[in-house]
Amino acid sequence: MSTFVDTWKQHDFAAVGARIAAATEADVRRALGKQGRGLNLDDLAALLSPAAAPFLEEMAALSHRLTVERFGRTMQLYAPMYLTNVCANICSYCGFSAQNRIPRKALDDAEISAEADALEKFGFDHVLLVTGESSRYGLAYFQNALRLLRPRFSNLSMEVQPLDAEEYAALTADGLSAVLVYQETYDPIAYPKHHLKGPKADMEYRLATPDRLGTAGVKKIGLGALYGLSDWRAESWFVGLHLHYMEKHYWRTRYSIAFPRLRPHEGNEIPVTPFNERDLIQTACAFRLFSQEVELSLSTRESPHFRNNAFKLGFTSMSAGSKTNPGGYASEPESLEQFQISDERSPAEVAAFLKTNGYEAVWKDWDATYDGQQTARSNDVVHA
Amino acid sequence: MKTSPLVIAGVTLRSRLFLGTGKYSSGAVMSESLAASGAELVTMALRRVRTDGGHDDIMSQLDTTKYRLLPNTSGVRDAKEAILAAELAREALGTNWLKLEIHPDPKYLMPDAIETLLATRELVKRGFVVLPYVHADPVLCKQLEEAGAAAVMPLGAPIGSNLGLETRAFLEIIIAQSRVPVVIDAGLGTPSHAAAALEMGADAVLVNTAIAAAADPVAMGAAFKLAVEAGRLGFEAGLAARSTKGEAHATSPLTSFLASV
């Protein structure tokens, strides 16, 4: 079966970067002139280029308008729940890296329930389950977590190690709604420099993961790059290429994109390719113009000031009150975290901010009825 | 100036204009119109083709070394009838290419989506190259693509109406997400309709009434040839920007906060 890997191989990362750098003002004007209708990958390249920088305000206005047209003045709120920081990979940029001498922990049933208690009190109904990558905590562990949490939350997403299509299908049957699998970098030269050891070193297996998710019928797939590892403009274009490919091949699926930037973390500091707030805004707006349907996520990695201004420029979901360590909401100190967050406001504070700015904070936007064959909530309805 | 070739089911076609063979005043006029149009793929209704070997006004006027035949199932009312007609067409005309038309409604000739999908699945299994005629329904087109259709042929307007691209908003979605060629079929009434279809990214158009029922079908065939070529060239050249007036002058700048981060 052909996968995105075949498409990816048709494009040279450095050449794409050079092509984007060479885009002209006329190219940008042509892309903007389409008013968000029918943009192609050349248009995306133009909007990501240095030539687009003087048009940032125009891109932002158009991105805002297109987002309101499609999504209204709403913002989905969700929280990550870190289940374990056990990880078999050695990655240069991650606090969970196997070579870091940090205490390792995997939540047991009682601890998962305690985290769920805390998140329910905050009002969350959409929880993103996050782990390191370890075969010790694989399919059976995820299935157990889903079965524990399914009765308590309407929407369960996952950001864990890449799995096989059959495993994704099994998790979908247990009530999984979405899987986020960021490629980290689409640059074949940078990838092995940062993924030194472990299963994640297999770049092509990771590249083909969204195909396996699509084949398994997962309802929503998150794509993205980790900004800081290579040229952000080329990374973004490849994310666009991936989105374009996925939308054509797996058209029943919804897609989301996030723009994580490298944050301070446990372990050695590494050289970071620049990607500042202005670049992030340009990227988000370019994606909104490229796709009116894709959901764009704004992370707590960013500062409150930035989030307060950026949220209406194309984003549709935000995490809030995030803890990036296993057990972080209920009890554990933050010494086991994956990375440091910047926006430490509580979910209620974020929701209040949105309200005063004319936006509705959406806590529930899914129902367990739509997921899997047997869900506790649907059973409740049947037996009520 | 050359444009990229159209490939359907591995076959490269020289022209992006497909023609029908009905409604002409004579076989000779049809033949001349086809020649003037530059079309390579021509469709004919199985119900009008003599399959018993007798004299056939359509087939006798068609140089089958010059044209690729696309028999259609016009007249069938469901998948079962379509499959039977397809097998007959393959036998009689020696081609496995098929324009699948199922319209149980004799007044407006509206295609039946459900029967079309069922028939496509079966005909693909039987080795046909299926080009289904359908409503401009983006979901149906994706389902047909998954079923193995070699192209999809959504309608621009009711068949024979000459109204043009009435379904434009849906055609744009179909074109944007399709992995197989999109051929706009039915309703195109003027050369400018055909040019607009190609400009918006359609891979080809199929025209019959607009040419066959024109005062001068031969000249109209030539006009459509030029229109299709112009439309495709325009699409490949990349249309110039429309005005972005208004977007550049927001009253409250949205990005000024970046100066302080």
Side-chain angles (χ1 to χ4, degrees), chain B residues 185-219:
Chain B
D185 182 9
L188 303 184
T190 65
S192 61
H193 291 156
L198 273 290
E199 254 175 31
M200 69 192 260
D203 295 280
V205 291
L206 193 149
V207 179
N208 187 186
T209 303
I211 294 175
D216 183 344
V218 179

Side-chain angles (χ1 to χ4, degrees), chain A residues 29-30 32-35 37 56-58 60-62 65 248-249 251-252 277-278 305-306 309 313, chain B residues 139 142-143 145-146 172 176-179 239 241-244 247-248 250 253-255 257-258 260-261:
Chain A
R29 286 189 189 281
R30 186 161 48 246
L32 288 171
K34 293 184 177 180
Q35 299 281 298
R37 283 163 63 92
L56 190 58
E57 179 65 23
E58 189 171 342
L62 189 50
R65 193 191 85 199
K248 286 213 170 192
H249 285 77
W251 55 278
R252 292 178 177 83
E277 284 89 348
R278 181 172 285 272
H305 175 68
F306 181 82
N309 288 282
L313 303 186
Chain B
V139 171
K142 289 304 282 185
Q143 289 171 327
E145 176 186 297
E146 286 180 341
E172 285 176 350
Q177 64 181 5
S178 184
R179 289 193 288 135
L239 302 178
R242 285 181 282 175
S243 168
T244 58
E247 298 295 348
L254 293 165
T255 56
F257 74 98
L258 289 167
S260 61
V261 293

Side-chain angles (χ1 to χ4, degrees), chain A residues 244-264:
Chain A
H244 182 71
Y245 166 91
M246 292 298 293
E247 284 181 339
K248 286 213 170 192
H249 285 77
Y250 308 100
W251 55 278
R252 292 178 177 83
T253 306
R254 289 157 58 207
Y255 296 95
S256 67
I257 294 175
F259 310 95
R261 295 196 295 155
L262 272 177
R263 295 287 305 156

